Amino acid sequence: TAKAEGRGRWAVHDPGRDEAETERFTLAAALPAAVARDEFFVLYQPLVSLADHRVRGVEALVRWQHPRLGVLSPSLFIGPAEETGIIVELGRRVLEHACRDARAWQDEFGDAAPFVSVNVAQRQLVEPALVSEIADLLDRTGLRPDRLQIELTERELTADEGAPLKALDGLRAMGVRIAVDDFGTGYSNLSYLRKLPVDVIKLDGSFGEGLREEELSDPVDEVIVGTLVALGHALGLTVTAEGVETGPQATRLRALGCDEGQGWLFAPALPAADIARMVRRGAPLGDPAATPGGGLL
Ligand code: C2E
Ligand code: MG
Ligand code: MG
Ligand code: MG
């Protein structure tokens, strides 16, 4: 019963957990009005080629400019936004911002313009209108379809086969690329990858953690990364490494075959104007001798 559950909760009273739950609840309740007031903005984190450390693309990462609490991380509100369904409207706005900014880069840099990679939640993927909305968005903004990439987590892709796969086929038919995000953290059965209409796998940052120190490369992490790279390449996919924080790690990931990297070594998530400045300057990011995220602009 509710009463028994309540008593149980108090019996193992954990003020930190209660506070976190209250906060989560409050944020979830505040989301619809915040979306209506447009309190969200988008930052872009560079994705670099590990061969030359130059910007190939960027990932769009949403932030909530909360009137009282300041800038909030998506880890605090994406979960609640998915649970309440408001992610559909929020995600629509993120896509709109991302395509507009990427169109400006396309105008300035042409073929050298960075592509934009946008996270899409399962809840959005099962909306029947998603594919036509994206087609319309590309049309309105004038962004080339091959300048847009959609990121979905492994879990989202494998949860329900029907609707999501149909949407992915529709997007790919337009020329939009599909990436599997946080790859390696979901299902252990990797053969499903063969059936998925995807172009890129993004290896979760946790696998690269053991490769950060120059002297002490973790042999198990080396084997895991090497194996996932071999699998990706056998399927003709581009392999991106997330969470690249140090020079030695970038060197190891490159030696293990990763094509692209993303992480604080190269740059944190930045405003669109900073990305344009970075591409204009054209210098490689992430000097192996530099401190993480330092001296980039
Ligand atoms: P993600 O898609 O895996 O994005 C990468 C996250 O890793 C970002 O966190 C990024 O800031 C962080 N990161 C980047 N470089 C490093 C590094 O070197 N080391 C470490 N430890 N972390 C690094 P962020 O921006 O807080 O986003 C968290 C998650 O929220 C994202 O994970 C994504 O799943 C979700 N998210 C963000 N924006 C959106 C959105 O517009 N829509 C949806 N559905 N989800 C989003
Ligand atoms: Mg992502
Ligand atoms: Mg990721
Ligand atoms: Mg991740």
Side-chain angles (χ1 to χ4, degrees), residues 172-195:
R172 280 183 105 213
M174 300 188 311
V176 173
R177 272 193 319 280
I178 311 293
V180 188
D181 203 356
D182 303 339
F183 187 74
T185 57
Y187 286 65
S188 52
N189 171 19
L190 297 175
S191 61
Y192 79 97
L193 193 61
R194 172 186 273 262
K195 297 186 294 180

Side-chain angles (χ1 to χ4, degrees), residues 45 59-63 73-75 78 82 87 91 94 118-121 124 151 153 156 181-182 202 204 212 242-245 262-265 267 269:
Q45 184 175 35
E59 177 174 5
L61 295 162
V62 69
R63 300 286 181 264
S73 151
S75 57
I78 291 294
E82 284 176 350
I87 190 71
V94 171
V118 182
N119 295 284
V120 167
Q124 291 172 268
E151 294 191 14
T153 66
E156 288 164 326
D181 203 356
D182 303 339
K202 295 186 76 176
D204 194 69
R212 271 173 203 156
E242 300 187 299
V244 184
E245 296 186 5
Q262 175 180 4
W264 298 330
L265 169 69

